[in-house]
Amino acid sequence: MNTHAMKSATLSGGFAEPVFDAQGVFRAVMDAMARPGKVVELSGKTAPPAPLTPEAGAIALTLLDHETPVWLGQKLAVSPAVADWLRFHTGCPIVTEPDEAAFALASDAAQMPVLTAFAKGSADYPDRSTTLIVAIDTFDGPEMLTLKGPGIRDTTHLSPHPLPIGFAGQAAANHALFPRGVDMLFVTAGKLAALPRSTRIT
């Protein structure tokens, strides 16, 4: 890609209607967080540089700003265009250490650091933790997670795929830290589901 094309890719690919689109994405994120395990529709089209997905890009444009440090997973970090696109559209600083991030973007769950590598918040400030936005292939994966907790009547099920290695154990340890701990958003084609720290995998 020549320099002009690279610059064009950085400047383009944002929301067509920024206020309207961001409001729709924000409502979808809030709905997903309020009802863990529920797969919700995610609108708000973006066209970020690969391998950042349109869905992860839409959430990034909605939630990130100049005060939210962002960590990029391995495949995203090696693409300068991804960092340039995020900086241009949101002003967010990019950090290299997971525990310095308010948000983390990952396009390859298998290569993610363990959840304990991210900021977990403190007893006084549990909100100072990392929210992970993880792109997956499908919500019809082979591993079914059974979820319990606030926002769930009895139990519900979620099957994101692929998942990080040993994810069930990592998620259990993360829940045990509550009210500290990380929150997770899984995204795939036009869809979103949340696994907040308050949710327990049984």
Side-chain angles (χ1 to χ4, degrees):
M1 185 181 290
N2 61 40
T3 303
H4 177 75
M6 289 178 67
K7 186 173 182 180
S8 177
T10 297
L11 301 180
S12 65
F15 288 135
E17 300 181 48
V19 174
F20 178 79
D21 290 339
Q23 287 176 343
V25 172
F26 186 77
R27 283 194 296 269
V29 171
M30 291 299 99
D31 185 24
M33 288 294 290
R35 294 189 278 179
K38 174 182 169 62
V39 178
V40 302
E41 297 296 317
L42 182 63
S43 59
K45 303 298 182 185
T46 64
L52 187 63
T53 68
E55 293 78 20
I59 294 176
L61 295 197
T62 301
L63 300 183
L64 307 186
D65 60 27
H66 67 283
E67 295 182 336
T68 50
V70 177
W71 176 89
L72 301 177
Q74 183 176 337
K75 288 188 175 180
L76 298 174
V78 298
S79 170
V82 169
D84 289 345
W85 188 84
L86 289 169
R87 288 193 191 99
F88 175 78
H89 288 282
T90 73
C92 67
I94 308 294
V95 296
T96 57
E97 298 300 326
D99 63 358
E100 297 174 353
F103 289 88
L105 292 166
S107 63
D108 188 344
Q111 293 185 344
M112 275 177 48
V114 293
L115 298 184
T116 52
F118 296 95
K120 296 172 283 295
S122 66
D124 291 333
Y125 300 99
D127 57 317
R128 293 180 181 175
S129 60
T130 306
T131 297
L132 281 71
I133 303 163
V134 184
I136 58 170
D137 296 337
T138 180
F139 283 115
D140 295 311
E143 183 176 354
M144 180 181 289
L145 305 176
T146 300
L147 312 178
K148 294 190 73 170
I152 300 171
R153 182 180 295 176
D154 192 22
T155 63
T156 192
H157 304 286
L158 186 65
S159 301
H161 179 79
L163 283 168
I165 296 168
F167 180 74
Q170 290 188 51
N174 182 64
H175 171 73
L177 295 170
F178 187 81
R180 299 166 62 229
V182 303
D183 297 320
M184 300 189 71
L185 299 172
F186 294 104
V187 294
T188 188
K191 295 178 180 178
L192 158 74
L195 190 62
R197 70 193 82 176
S198 58
T199 302
R200 180 164 60 97
I201 296 178
T202 61

